[in-house]
Amino acid sequence: EVKLVESGGGLVQPGGSLRLSCAASGFTVSSNYMSWVRQAPGKGLEWVSIIYSGGNTYYADSVKGRLTISRDNSKNTLYLQMNNLRGEDTAVYYCAGGSAYYYFAMDVWGQGTTVTVSS
Amino acid sequence: EIVLTQSPGTLSLSPGERPTLSCRASQSVNSSYLAWYQQKPGQAPRLLIYGASSRATGIPDRFSGSGSGTDFTLTISRLEPEDFAVYYCQHYGTSPKYTFGQGTKLEIK
């Protein structure tokens, strides 16, 4: 069974930091493209970042310079390092991925982890 | 930057009806990179359609996608009770890498 499990969310003050993790099973993080997608309360989906199998990374303009995507191939885990957090970063964060078979659509999703940025 | 506009914002229908959801791109896009997702309250999105018209694994054949250029459509041939949810279209491109539409909420009439 393919499974992605996020962790690391929580309450953090503005300007603070948090690291999200996404542990994969039945699915190889390093062989596929992996993204973080977030959803603010009551809002739609917003793509945050992607890491390709080759290691290239890209970010939405709204998070560039503050959030960093990475992976640990030995642990089959994806990460999102979040620095200098703002209130507008409050959201459920999903990790998602897929293979080139799906033309870069995201066919595997985690259950999400909630990040709340508030003083 | 490509903007995806979904319509209608909310669709109120009864089980058994045939909804058509629209996704319009601000400029012509490669249909290979157009996808549709379903999201139910408290759940992660689920991939329904990729490449504009191909069903993802395990997706019932009552879901179908079509379109090209700037206009794309998701059709559900006959609504089942479990189909009431929010639907998003998504495009994979260059910058930003992914763009989502704002969503269409399909609610029970």
Side-chain angles (χ1 to χ4, degrees):
Chain A
E1 180 193 8
V2 175
K3 203 170 182 181
L4 301 177
V5 179
E6 301 97 334
S7 60
L11 174 63
V12 61
Q13 292 187 338
S17 297
L18 216 53
R19 188 177 83 154
L20 307 184
S21 300
C22 171
S25 56
F27 184 86
T28 304
V29 167
S30 61
S31 299
N32 297 282
Y33 50 90
M34 298 295 299
S35 275
W36 289 96
V37 176
R38 68 185 180 184
Q39 187 168 36
K43 303 295 184 183
L45 302 172
E46 180 188 16
W47 170 74
V48 172
S49 180
I50 187 172
I51 183 166
Y52 292 95
S53 56
N56 288 347
T57 60
Y58 295 87
Y59 300 89
D61 287 345
S62 58
V63 306
K64 209 171 289 184
R66 301 186 299 115
L67 274 57
T68 303
I69 193 172
S70 64
R71 67 189 183 209
D72 184 329
N73 296 344
S74 66
K75 295 182 179 179
N76 203 26
T77 298
L78 179 73
Y79 300 100
L80 185 67
Q81 177 66 44
M82 310 172 73
N83 297 330
N84 191 19
L85 284 162
R86 306 167 179 168
E88 54 264 36
D89 296 318
T90 294
V92 175
Y93 284 74
Y94 297 100
C95 64
S99 70
Y101 176 83
Y102 285 106
Y103 292 96
F104 296 98
M106 305 173 199
D107 72 303
V108 181
W109 291 73
Q111 84 290 350
T113 187
T114 300
V115 172
T116 303
V117 183
S118 175
S119 55
Chain B
E1 178 178 334
I2 291 171
V3 176
L4 299 178
T5 302
Q6 293 185 239
S7 61
T10 302
L11 196 51
S12 300
L13 294 172
S14 302
E17 292 197 87
R18 179 189 172 94
T20 299
L21 285 62
S22 173
C23 175
R24 178 162 289 176
S26 57
Q27 58 188 278
S28 183
V29 301
N30 186 332
S31 59
S32 293
Y33 300 128
L34 195 288
W36 289 91
Y37 299 84
Q38 177 194 65
Q39 187 179 34
K40 297 180 181 179
Q43 295 185 18
R46 176 175 71 146
L47 177 66
L48 297 175
I49 300 289
Y50 65 97
S53 60
S54 298
R55 276 186 301 277
T57 303
I59 301 303
D61 60 8
R62 64 180 181 272
F63 291 93
S64 63
S66 63
S68 63
T70 61
D71 293 308
F72 298 88
T73 298
L74 175 70
T75 301
I76 308 173
S77 61
R78 185 178 172 86
L79 272 174
E80 298 288 340
E82 62 267 29
D83 298 337
F84 291 93
V86 179
Y87 292 83
Y88 295 95
C89 59
Q90 169 244 301
H91 176 256
Y92 170 79
T94 52
S95 181
K97 286 298 180 183
Y98 290 94
T99 302
F100 287 94
Q102 82 279 17
T104 289
K105 182 179 181 181
L106 187 51
E107 64 178 24
I108 299 175
K109 189 173 183 180

Short mmCIF file of all heavy atoms in Angstrom, two decimals, chain A residues 17-59:
data_model
loop_
_atom_site.label_atom_id
_atom_site.label_comp_id
_atom_site.label_asym_id
_atom_site.label_seq_id
_atom_site.Cartn_x
_atom_site.Cartn_y
_atom_site.Cartn_z
N SER A 17 10.18 29.14 13.28
CA SER A 17 10.53 28.09 12.33
C SER A 17 9.86 26.78 12.69
O SER A 17 9.49 26.56 13.86
CB SER A 17 12.06 27.87 12.31
OG SER A 17 12.73 29.03 11.86
N LEU A 18 9.74 25.94 11.68
CA LEU A 18 9.13 24.63 11.85
C LEU A 18 9.67 23.74 10.74
O LEU A 18 9.98 24.23 9.64
CB LEU A 18 7.60 24.76 11.71
CG LEU A 18 6.65 23.92 12.54
CD1 LEU A 18 6.97 24.04 14.04
CD2 LEU A 18 5.22 24.36 12.29
N ARG A 19 9.81 22.44 11.00
CA ARG A 19 10.19 21.52 9.94
C ARG A 19 9.12 20.45 9.82
O ARG A 19 8.84 19.73 10.78
CB ARG A 19 11.55 20.87 10.19
CG ARG A 19 12.02 20.07 8.97
CD ARG A 19 13.40 19.48 9.13
NE ARG A 19 13.37 18.22 9.87
CZ ARG A 19 14.30 17.27 9.74
NH1 ARG A 19 15.32 17.44 8.90
NH2 ARG A 19 14.22 16.18 10.46
N LEU A 20 8.55 20.35 8.64
CA LEU A 20 7.57 19.31 8.36
C LEU A 20 8.26 18.11 7.74
O LEU A 20 9.22 18.26 6.99
CB LEU A 20 6.50 19.83 7.40
CG LEU A 20 5.78 21.13 7.78
CD1 LEU A 20 4.69 21.45 6.76
CD2 LEU A 20 5.23 21.06 9.19
N SER A 21 7.75 16.93 8.06
CA SER A 21 8.26 15.69 7.48
C SER A 21 7.13 14.94 6.78
O SER A 21 5.97 15.07 7.15
CB SER A 21 8.85 14.78 8.57
OG SER A 21 9.91 15.41 9.24
N CYS A 22 7.49 14.17 5.80
CA CYS A 22 6.54 13.34 5.07
C CYS A 22 7.21 12.00 4.82
O CYS A 22 8.08 11.88 3.94
CB CYS A 22 6.16 14.02 3.76
SG CYS A 22 5.19 12.99 2.63
N ALA A 23 6.83 11.01 5.61
CA ALA A 23 7.41 9.68 5.49
C ALA A 23 6.62 8.85 4.50
O ALA A 23 5.39 8.77 4.58
CB ALA A 23 7.44 9.01 6.85
N ALA A 24 7.33 8.24 3.55
CA ALA A 24 6.67 7.47 2.51
C ALA A 24 6.89 5.97 2.72
O ALA A 24 7.94 5.54 3.17
CB ALA A 24 7.20 7.88 1.14
N SER A 25 5.86 5.21 2.37
CA SER A 25 5.97 3.76 2.33
C SER A 25 5.27 3.26 1.08
O SER A 25 4.28 3.83 0.65
CB SER A 25 5.37 3.12 3.59
OG SER A 25 4.02 3.52 3.75
N GLY A 26 5.82 2.22 0.47
CA GLY A 26 5.25 1.73 -0.77
C GLY A 26 5.44 2.67 -1.94
O GLY A 26 4.83 2.52 -3.00
N PHE A 27 6.32 3.65 -1.77
CA PHE A 27 6.51 4.72 -2.75
C PHE A 27 7.89 5.29 -2.51
O PHE A 27 8.22 5.62 -1.37
CB PHE A 27 5.43 5.78 -2.50
CG PHE A 27 5.41 6.92 -3.49
CD1 PHE A 27 4.72 6.83 -4.67
CD2 PHE A 27 6.08 8.11 -3.20
CE1 PHE A 27 4.68 7.88 -5.57
CE2 PHE A 27 6.06 9.18 -4.09
CZ PHE A 27 5.35 9.06 -5.27
N THR A 28 8.70 5.42 -3.55
CA THR A 28 10.08 5.88 -3.38
C THR A 28 10.17 7.37 -3.66
O THR A 28 10.01 7.80 -4.82
CB THR A 28 11.03 5.10 -4.30
OG1 THR A 28 10.89 3.70 -4.03
CG2 THR A 28 12.47 5.52 -4.06
N VAL A 29 10.42 8.14 -2.62
CA VAL A 29 10.46 9.60 -2.75
C VAL A 29 11.48 10.04 -3.79
O VAL A 29 11.22 10.92 -4.60
CB VAL A 29 10.76 10.23 -1.36
CG1 VAL A 29 11.13 11.69 -1.50
CG2 VAL A 29 9.56 10.04 -0.43
N SER A 30 12.65 9.43 -3.79
CA SER A 30 13.73 9.89 -4.65
C SER A 30 13.50 9.56 -6.13
O SER A 30 14.14 10.14 -7.00
CB SER A 30 15.06 9.28 -4.22
OG SER A 30 14.99 7.86 -4.31
N SER A 31 12.59 8.66 -6.42
CA SER A 31 12.35 8.25 -7.81
C SER A 31 11.21 9.01 -8.47
O SER A 31 10.92 8.81 -9.65
CB SER A 31 12.03 6.76 -7.88
OG SER A 31 13.10 6.00 -7.39
N ASN A 32 10.55 9.83 -7.69
CA ASN A 32 9.36 10.53 -8.18
C ASN A 32 9.45 12.03 -7.89
O ASN A 32 10.34 12.48 -7.17
CB ASN A 32 8.11 9.96 -7.51
CG ASN A 32 7.90 8.50 -7.85
OD1 ASN A 32 7.43 8.16 -8.94
ND2 ASN A 32 8.27 7.62 -6.92
N TYR A 33 8.53 12.81 -8.44
CA TYR A 33 8.46 14.22 -8.10
C TYR A 33 7.57 14.35 -6.87
O TYR A 33 6.55 13.68 -6.76
CB TYR A 33 7.93 15.06 -9.28
CG TYR A 33 6.66 14.54 -9.91
CD1 TYR A 33 5.42 14.94 -9.45
CD2 TYR A 33 6.72 13.65 -10.97
CE1 TYR A 33 4.26 14.46 -10.03
CE2 TYR A 33 5.57 13.16 -11.55
CZ TYR A 33 4.34 13.57 -11.07
OH TYR A 33 3.19 13.09 -11.65
N MET A 34 8.00 15.19 -5.97
CA MET A 34 7.30 15.37 -4.70
C MET A 34 7.05 16.85 -4.46
O MET A 34 7.96 17.66 -4.62
CB MET A 34 8.12 14.81 -3.54
CG MET A 34 8.40 13.32 -3.63
SD MET A 34 6.92 12.32 -3.51
CE MET A 34 6.31 12.76 -1.88
N SER A 35 5.84 17.16 -4.04
CA SER A 35 5.47 18.55 -3.78
C SER A 35 4.90 18.72 -2.38
O SER A 35 4.46 17.75 -1.75
CB SER A 35 4.41 19.02 -4.79
OG SER A 35 4.96 19.47 -6.00
N TRP A 36 4.91 19.95 -1.93
CA TRP A 36 4.11 20.38 -0.79
C TRP A 36 3.02 21.30 -1.33
O TRP A 36 3.29 22.20 -2.14
CB TRP A 36 4.96 21.11 0.24
CG TRP A 36 5.89 20.21 0.98
CD1 TRP A 36 7.21 19.97 0.71
CD2 TRP A 36 5.57 19.43 2.15
NE1 TRP A 36 7.73 19.08 1.61
CE2 TRP A 36 6.75 18.73 2.52
CE3 TRP A 36 4.42 19.25 2.92
CZ2 TRP A 36 6.80 17.87 3.61
CZ3 TRP A 36 4.47 18.41 4.00
CH2 TRP A 36 5.65 17.72 4.34
N VAL A 37 1.81 21.03 -0.88
CA VAL A 37 0.64 21.82 -1.26
C VAL A 37 -0.05 22.23 0.03
O VAL A 37 -0.17 21.40 0.95
CB VAL A 37 -0.33 21.00 -2.14
CG1 VAL A 37 -1.61 21.79 -2.44
CG2 VAL A 37 0.35 20.57 -3.43
N ARG A 38 -0.49 23.48 0.13
CA ARG A 38 -1.13 23.90 1.37
C ARG A 38 -2.54 24.42 1.11
O ARG A 38 -2.90 24.76 -0.02
CB ARG A 38 -0.29 24.95 2.07
CG ARG A 38 -0.20 26.31 1.36
CD ARG A 38 0.78 27.23 2.11
NE ARG A 38 0.89 28.54 1.47
CZ ARG A 38 1.72 29.49 1.89
NH1 ARG A 38 2.53 29.28 2.93
NH2 ARG A 38 1.75 30.66 1.26
N GLN A 39 -3.29 24.44 2.19
CA GLN A 39 -4.68 24.89 2.10
C GLN A 39 -5.00 25.70 3.36
O GLN A 39 -5.09 25.14 4.45
CB GLN A 39 -5.62 23.70 1.97
CG GLN A 39 -7.07 24.05 1.71
CD GLN A 39 -7.88 22.83 1.30
OE1 GLN A 39 -7.66 21.73 1.80
NE2 GLN A 39 -8.84 23.03 0.38
N ALA A 40 -5.13 26.99 3.19
CA ALA A 40 -5.50 27.86 4.31
C ALA A 40 -6.94 27.56 4.72
O ALA A 40 -7.73 27.05 3.92
CB ALA A 40 -5.36 29.33 3.89
N PRO A 41 -7.28 27.86 5.95
CA PRO A 41 -8.63 27.54 6.45
C PRO A 41 -9.72 28.09 5.55
O PRO A 41 -9.75 29.29 5.25
CB PRO A 41 -8.65 28.20 7.83
CG PRO A 41 -7.23 28.24 8.25
CD PRO A 41 -6.44 28.46 7.01
N GLY A 42 -10.59 27.20 5.08
CA GLY A 42 -11.71 27.60 4.24
C GLY A 42 -11.35 28.02 2.83
O GLY A 42 -12.21 28.53 2.10
N LYS A 43 -10.10 27.82 2.43
CA LYS A 43 -9.65 28.27 1.12
C LYS A 43 -9.31 27.10 0.20
O LYS A 43 -9.46 25.93 0.57
CB LYS A 43 -8.41 29.18 1.28
CG LYS A 43 -8.65 30.37 2.16
CD LYS A 43 -9.67 31.33 1.57
CE LYS A 43 -9.81 32.58 2.44
NZ LYS A 43 -10.86 33.51 1.91
N GLY A 44 -8.85 27.43 -1.00
CA GLY A 44 -8.49 26.41 -1.97
C GLY A 44 -7.07 25.92 -1.81
O GLY A 44 -6.38 26.25 -0.85
N LEU A 45 -6.63 25.14 -2.78
CA LEU A 45 -5.31 24.54 -2.76
C LEU A 45 -4.28 25.49 -3.34
O LEU A 45 -4.53 26.17 -4.34
CB LEU A 45 -5.32 23.24 -3.57
CG LEU A 45 -6.31 22.18 -3.11
CD1 LEU A 45 -6.37 21.04 -4.11
CD2 LEU A 45 -5.95 21.66 -1.72
N GLU A 46 -3.10 25.53 -2.71
CA GLU A 46 -2.00 26.37 -3.18
C GLU A 46 -0.73 25.53 -3.21
O GLU A 46 -0.29 25.02 -2.18
CB GLU A 46 -1.80 27.58 -2.26
CG GLU A 46 -0.65 28.48 -2.71
CD GLU A 46 -0.31 29.58 -1.71
OE1 GLU A 46 -0.72 29.49 -0.54
OE2 GLU A 46 0.40 30.52 -2.11
N TRP A 47 -0.12 25.44 -4.37
CA TRP A 47 1.14 24.72 -4.49
C TRP A 47 2.25 25.55 -3.83
O TRP A 47 2.30 26.77 -4.00
CB TRP A 47 1.48 24.47 -5.95
CG TRP A 47 2.86 23.96 -6.15
CD1 TRP A 47 3.33 22.71 -5.87
CD2 TRP A 47 4.00 24.71 -6.61
NE1 TRP A 47 4.66 22.63 -6.15
CE2 TRP A 47 5.10 23.83 -6.61
CE3 TRP A 47 4.18 26.03 -7.03
CZ2 TRP A 47 6.38 24.24 -7.01
CZ3 TRP A 47 5.44 26.44 -7.43
CH2 TRP A 47 6.53 25.54 -7.42
N VAL A 48 3.15 24.85 -3.11
CA VAL A 48 4.21 25.52 -2.37
C VAL A 48 5.58 25.26 -2.97
O VAL A 48 6.35 26.19 -3.22
CB VAL A 48 4.19 25.06 -0.89
CG1 VAL A 48 5.41 25.59 -0.14
CG2 VAL A 48 2.89 25.49 -0.21
N SER A 49 5.90 23.98 -3.20
CA SER A 49 7.26 23.64 -3.64
C SER A 49 7.28 22.26 -4.25
O SER A 49 6.41 21.42 -3.96
CB SER A 49 8.21 23.69 -2.43
OG SER A 49 9.53 23.37 -2.81
N ILE A 50 8.28 22.00 -5.09
CA ILE A 50 8.47 20.69 -5.69
C ILE A 50 9.95 20.32 -5.69
O ILE A 50 10.81 21.20 -5.80
CB ILE A 50 7.92 20.65 -7.14
CG1 ILE A 50 7.95 19.22 -7.72
CG2 ILE A 50 8.66 21.61 -8.05
CD1 ILE A 50 7.25 19.08 -9.06
N ILE A 51 10.22 19.04 -5.52
CA ILE A 51 11.56 18.52 -5.73
C ILE A 51 11.45 17.37 -6.72
O ILE A 51 10.61 16.48 -6.57
CB ILE A 51 12.25 18.07 -4.41
CG1 ILE A 51 13.68 17.60 -4.68
CG2 ILE A 51 11.44 16.99 -3.69
CD1 ILE A 51 14.52 17.47 -3.39
N TYR A 52 12.26 17.42 -7.77
CA TYR A 52 12.22 16.39 -8.79
C TYR A 52 13.16 15.25 -8.43
O TYR A 52 14.03 15.39 -7.55
CB TYR A 52 12.61 16.98 -10.14
CG TYR A 52 11.60 17.95 -10.70
CD1 TYR A 52 11.75 19.33 -10.50
CD2 TYR A 52 10.49 17.51 -11.40
CE1 TYR A 52 10.82 20.23 -11.00
CE2 TYR A 52 9.56 18.40 -11.91
CZ TYR A 52 9.74 19.76 -11.71
OH TYR A 52 8.81 20.64 -12.22
N SER A 53 13.01 14.16 -9.16
CA SER A 53 13.86 13.00 -8.87
C SER A 53 15.33 13.35 -9.03
O SER A 53 16.18 12.84 -8.29
CB SER A 53 13.49 11.83 -9.79
OG SER A 53 13.57 12.20 -11.15
N GLY A 54 15.64 14.25 -9.93
CA GLY A 54 17.03 14.65 -10.14
C GLY A 54 17.56 15.61 -9.10
O GLY A 54 18.76 15.91 -9.08
N GLY A 55 16.66 16.10 -8.25
CA GLY A 55 17.07 16.98 -7.16
C GLY A 55 16.76 18.45 -7.35
O GLY A 55 16.90 19.24 -6.42
N ASN A 56 16.35 18.85 -8.55
CA ASN A 56 16.00 20.25 -8.76
C ASN A 56 14.78 20.63 -7.91
O ASN A 56 13.87 19.82 -7.73
CB ASN A 56 15.68 20.51 -10.23
CG ASN A 56 16.92 20.49 -11.11
OD1 ASN A 56 18.05 20.53 -10.61
ND2 ASN A 56 16.74 20.42 -12.41
N THR A 57 14.80 21.87 -7.43
CA THR A 57 13.71 22.35 -6.58
C THR A 57 13.17 23.67 -7.10
O THR A 57 13.90 24.47 -7.71
CB THR A 57 14.19 22.55 -5.13
OG1 THR A 57 15.26 23.51 -5.12
CG2 THR A 57 14.69 21.24 -4.53
N TYR A 58 11.87 23.88 -6.87
CA TYR A 58 11.20 25.11 -7.27
C TYR A 58 10.20 25.49 -6.19
O TYR A 58 9.71 24.63 -5.46
CB TYR A 58 10.48 24.93 -8.62
CG TYR A 58 11.42 24.68 -9.76
CD1 TYR A 58 11.84 23.38 -10.06
CD2 TYR A 58 11.93 25.73 -10.53
CE1 TYR A 58 12.72 23.14 -11.11
CE2 TYR A 58 12.82 25.49 -11.57
CZ TYR A 58 13.21 24.20 -11.84
OH TYR A 58 14.09 23.96 -12.86
N TYR A 59 9.93 26.81 -6.14
CA TYR A 59 9.08 27.34 -5.08
C TYR A 59 8.06 28.32 -5.64
O TYR A 59 8.32 29.01 -6.63
CB TYR A 59 9.93 28.04 -4.03
CG TYR A 59 10.93 27.15 -3.37
CD1 TYR A 59 12.21 26.98 -3.89
CD2 TYR A 59 10.59 26.43 -2.22
CE1 TYR A 59 13.13 26.13 -3.30
CE2 TYR A 59 11.50 25.59 -1.62
CZ TYR A 59 12.76 25.43 -2.17
OH TYR A 59 13.66 24.58 -1.58
#
